[in-house]
């Protein structure tokens, strides 16, 4: 069971249990938690911790310890519990702890007196910070990331902008110089600085040799973990698509097995859709932004409604405006006409978008007809296609002969 | 191959079902001398049996049809390749032609059409499907940076007006015979135009062609 305490301290009203604050927190919510528990103002607790920090960093160390041990409001386990629940995390943190100890002992032996003053508490706090980062819940990590990204100085150092880099370099260089100066002073005279530096260098290399493989592995695991996640997501999308389309169609085909026409139509429909999904970029399939996409709907509709196969070839593309939409409507009529009357098993549509014009061809190798003796209904369609095109300032040509198929050619000049 | 004899055909496809389907459709009209379901075996057997025409699947593990084309192309053979694919990806189609295939048809082609295509390839012709013609027109379309390319290699990197005309007619669904009639030229001339387009496609080092391909790929 997780326990959520009320979000803010109510002065004079102590509340149980002791939890790190979630809403009234700056960093870890330790002060806010105490304030809520004891019924005191948060500010007072923060002042106490700050004052304690002056005593050899005691306040900082205490803060970090509470951060580790106290459960965050709304969560089930404290950070330390989280760490020890996961064997790998526990190992990592233990290794880090040992590394800290080695660092301290090594520094000690090179003559740097870390045990004095702030040394010990700071090092331990640094270790605690590492442990907190490893053990924190995702939510708390997000909170901390936000905090550091918006913090005035540190946030700047994390950013990748030019200003951030400059800031980082300045701060880093300042710290290095300060550190060298400190080492120098500890050695008492300039002469011993060399050996101190040497010692530090050996130490750093030693630590690297000891922990680099482990660190690298850690990083690598993270990367492969991320890659794996991307793969899983892609696979999920693929599965979803296949399920929605291919599997459904296959089921339909099984049920319609007796009807040859239905089977062909379903299979062709699915084939077209799958092709589009696999090979066509999205922009080329959207009927509102693409001429090719618009023409594709003719292929779809004619094949579905008339069971005639459409061989569609498109060259070039453009964004359809009103005129282009009318051209496609005329082309659609020509295609439906061919599908209905030609008795051919397939019709060919070819479109080409050129800088100055758009051409639209519909051809069938069906029965054809004699232009002079067209049945009235077909004449009507031919007329309507011609009229539409001339209204657009374009042209329509119909080439046909009995037994020799029909071709309708539409040409639309482009104004732009 | 003599005029009357059936062309010797070799099948390369990693799907048994497709191979048996094709076999059933063409076995009566051509002489099938072997088949392979993987790149390495295909290369070895093609070189050994020296068929007239190889029906080549574009998509296979270990490099696909292109790997076979390259490896066999290094040797001095008279074997010609017809690419066979379910793919509609223009990049695949163009690159298999550039690797040396003499034609490209999709797997849903009808049996008689496939036999016809095989005979034409065997006779040294080029087989362009309407879709391939569309891709080629697209690839050679006059873009804005064409001026730059013109200066480098004007012959190879441009299609002539006549070649474009022929390609457009193929894309519109015309057979070679229809095209010859339409343009009042002989079928042989139509064939030579198409062959010339194929040569340009294969030899052109045109920047735009690869640019076009990569653009398609990235999309």
């Amino acid at each position: 069971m997780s326990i959520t305490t009320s979000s803010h301290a109510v002065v004079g009203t102590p509340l149980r249990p002791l939890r790190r604050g979630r809403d009234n927190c700056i960093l870890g919510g330790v002060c806010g938690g105490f304030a809520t528990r004891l019924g005191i103002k948060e500010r007072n607790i923060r002042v106490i911790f700050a004052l304690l920090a002056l005593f050899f960093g005691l306040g900082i160390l205490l803060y970090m310890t509470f951060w580790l041990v106290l459960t965050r409001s709304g969560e089930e386990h404290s950070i330390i519990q989280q760490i020890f629940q996961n064997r790998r995390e526990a190992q990592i943190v233990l290794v880090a702890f040992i590394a800290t100890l080695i660092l301290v002992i090594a520094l000690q032996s090179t003559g740097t007196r870390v045990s004095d003053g702030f040394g010990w508490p700071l090092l331990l706090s640094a270790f605690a910070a590492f442990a907190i980062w490893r053990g924190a819940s995702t939510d708390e990590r997000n909170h901390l990331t936000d905090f550091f990204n918006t913090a005035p100085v540190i946030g700047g150092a994390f950013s990748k902008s030019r200003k951030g880099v400059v800031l980082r370099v300045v701060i880093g260089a300042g710290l290095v110089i300060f550190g060298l100066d400190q080492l120098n002073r500890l050695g008492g005279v300039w002469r011993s600085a060399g050996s101190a530096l040497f010692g530090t260098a050996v130490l750093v290399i030693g630590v690297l040799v000891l922990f680099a493989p482990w660190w690298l592995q850690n990083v690598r695991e993270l990367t492969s973990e991320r890659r794996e996640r991307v793969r899983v997501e892609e696979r999920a999308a693929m599965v979803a698509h296949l399920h929605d389309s291919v599997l459904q169609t296959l089921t339909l085909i099984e049920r319609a097995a007796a009807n040859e026409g239905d089977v062909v139509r379903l299979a062709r429909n699915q084939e077209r859709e799958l092709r589009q999904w696999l090979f066509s970029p999205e922009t080329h399939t959207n009927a509102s932004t693409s001429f090719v996409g618009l023409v594709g709907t003719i292929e779809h509709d004619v094949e579905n409604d008339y069971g005639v196969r459409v061989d569609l070839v498109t060259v070039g593309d453009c964004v359809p405006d009103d005129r282009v939409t009318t051209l496609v409507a005329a082309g659609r009529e020509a295609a439906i006409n061919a599908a209905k009357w030609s008795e051919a098993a397939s019709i060919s549509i070819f479109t080409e978008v050129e800088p100055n014009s758009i051409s639209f061809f519909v051809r069938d190798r069906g029965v054809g007809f004699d232009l002079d003796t067209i049945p009235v209904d077909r004449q009507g369609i031919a007329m309507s296609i011609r009229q539409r095109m001339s209204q657009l300032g374009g042209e329509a040509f119909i080439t046909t002969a009995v037994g020799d198929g029909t071709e309708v050619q539409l040409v639309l000049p482009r104004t732009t | 191959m003599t005029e009357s004899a059936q062309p010797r055909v070799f099948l390369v496809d990693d799907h048994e079902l497709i191979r048996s389907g094709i076999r059933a459709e063409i076995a009566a009209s051509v002489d099938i001398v072997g088949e392979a379901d993987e790149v390495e075996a295909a290369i070895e057997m093609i070189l050994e049996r020296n068929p007239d025409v190889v029906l080549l699947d574009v998509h296979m593990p270990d490099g696909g049809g292109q790997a076979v084309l390259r490896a066999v192309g290094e040797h001095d053979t008279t074997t010609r390749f017809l690419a066979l694919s379910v793919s509609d990806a223009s990049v695949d189609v163009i690159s298999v032609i550039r690797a040396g295939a003499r034609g490209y048809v999709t797997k849903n082609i009808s049996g008689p059409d496939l036999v016809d295509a095989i005979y034409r390839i065997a006779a040294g012709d080029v087989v362009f499907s309407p879709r391939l013609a569309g891709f080629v027109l697209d690839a050679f379309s006059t873009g804005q940076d064409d001026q730059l390319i013109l200066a480098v290699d004007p012959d190879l990197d441009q299609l002539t007006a006549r070649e474009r005309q022929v390609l457009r007619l193929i894309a519109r669904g015309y057979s070679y015979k229809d095209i010859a009639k339409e343009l009042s030229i002989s079928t042989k001339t139509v064939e030579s135009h198409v062959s010339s387009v194929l040569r340009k496609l294969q030899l052109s080092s045109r920047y735009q062609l690869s640019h076009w391909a990569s653009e398609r790929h990235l999309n």
Side-chain angles (χ1 to χ4, degrees), chain A residues 26-219:
Chain A
I26 295 175
L27 207 54
V30 171
C31 295
F34 272 108
T36 310
R37 171 68 185 87
L38 302 172
I40 330 174
K41 274 188 182 167
E42 285 135 20
R43 202 186 54 208
N44 294 344
I45 303 276
R46 291 197 176 113
V47 169
I48 293 172
F49 270 97
L51 284 176
L52 279 174
L54 293 177
F55 289 93
F56 310 110
L58 188 62
I60 301 173
L61 195 58
L62 271 177
Y63 190 96
M64 296 311 252
T65 313
F66 282 125
W67 195 342
L68 274 172
V69 175
L70 290 180
T71 307
R72 192 167 182 236
S73 168
E75 286 174 10
E76 285 182 43
H77 303 285
S78 68
I79 288 179
I80 210 94
Q81 281 171 320
Q82 297 270 27
I83 290 171
F84 282 102
Q85 266 172 12
N86 182 333
R87 215 179 134 178
R88 225 175 67 86
E89 284 300 324
Q91 281 174 353
I92 288 170
V93 171
L94 264 173
V95 167
F97 184 65
I98 294 167
T100 319
L101 278 183
I102 292 176
L103 190 69
V104 170
I105 292 164
L107 281 174
Q108 197 87 311
S109 65
T110 54
T112 320
R113 288 161 302 161
V114 274
S115 54
D116 291 0
F118 284 78
W120 271 106
L122 279 182
L123 271 171
L124 280 176
S125 299
F127 159 71
F130 174 76
I132 287 167
W133 180 255
R134 298 293 321 190
S137 63
T138 321
D139 185 55
E140 189 164 8
R141 275 196 201 192
N142 287 342
H143 161 67
L144 288 174
T145 317
D146 285 348
F147 174 78
F148 283 116
N149 281 343
T150 49
V153 176
I154 314 170
F158 274 108
S159 95
K160 289 193 175 72
S161 70
R162 176 175 295 228
K163 208 173 137 194
V165 172
V166 170
L167 196 65
R168 190 158 50 223
V169 169
V170 168
I171 291 177
L175 284 176
V176 168
I177 291 167
F178 177 73
L180 285 176
D181 190 44
Q182 285 295 309
L183 280 174
N184 193 25
R185 271 189 215 161
L186 290 168
V189 273
W190 272 103
R191 250 169 292 154
S192 61
S195 66
L197 270 178
F198 177 71
T200 315
V202 170
L203 177 76
V204 168
I205 292 170
V207 169
L208 276 181
V209 169
L210 272 176
F211 298 112
W214 161 78
W215 175 252
L216 281 177
Q217 193 199 350
N218 212 9
V219 169

Side-chain angles (χ1 to χ4, degrees), chain B residues 107-132:
Chain B
K107 279 180 184 168
N108 51 23
I109 187 174
S110 74
D113 282 351
L114 180 58
V115 170
D116 181 53
I118 291 171
Y119 272 85
R120 275 156 62 196
I121 294 278
D125 283 348
V126 173
V127 174
F128 267 34
S129 67
R131 190 151 269 153
L132 174 57

Side-chain angles (χ1 to χ4, degrees), chain A residues 352, chain B residues 136-137 140 142 146 150 154-168 183 185 189-190 192-200 206:
Chain A
E352 185 172 18
Chain B
V136 176
L137 279 172
F140 277 96
T142 41
D146 248 24
L150 265 177
D155 275 352
L156 273 183
D157 293 331
Q158 285 297 86
L159 298 179
T160 64
R162 199 55 146 181
E163 284 162 358
R164 265 175 212 283
Q165 236 174 349
V166 171
L167 282 179
R168 280 200 186 102
L183 299 179
I185 51 180
T189 317
V190 176
S192 82
H193 282 310
V194 181
S195 298
S196 147
V197 171
L198 181 92
R199 193 177 55 90
K200 287 182 179 178
R206 182 178 161 94

Side-chain angles (χ1 to χ4, degrees), chain A residues 284-298:
Chain A
H284 284 246
T285 55
N286 189 335
S288 62
T289 58
S290 155
F291 170 69
V292 172
L294 207 54
V295 177
T297 62
I298 299 180

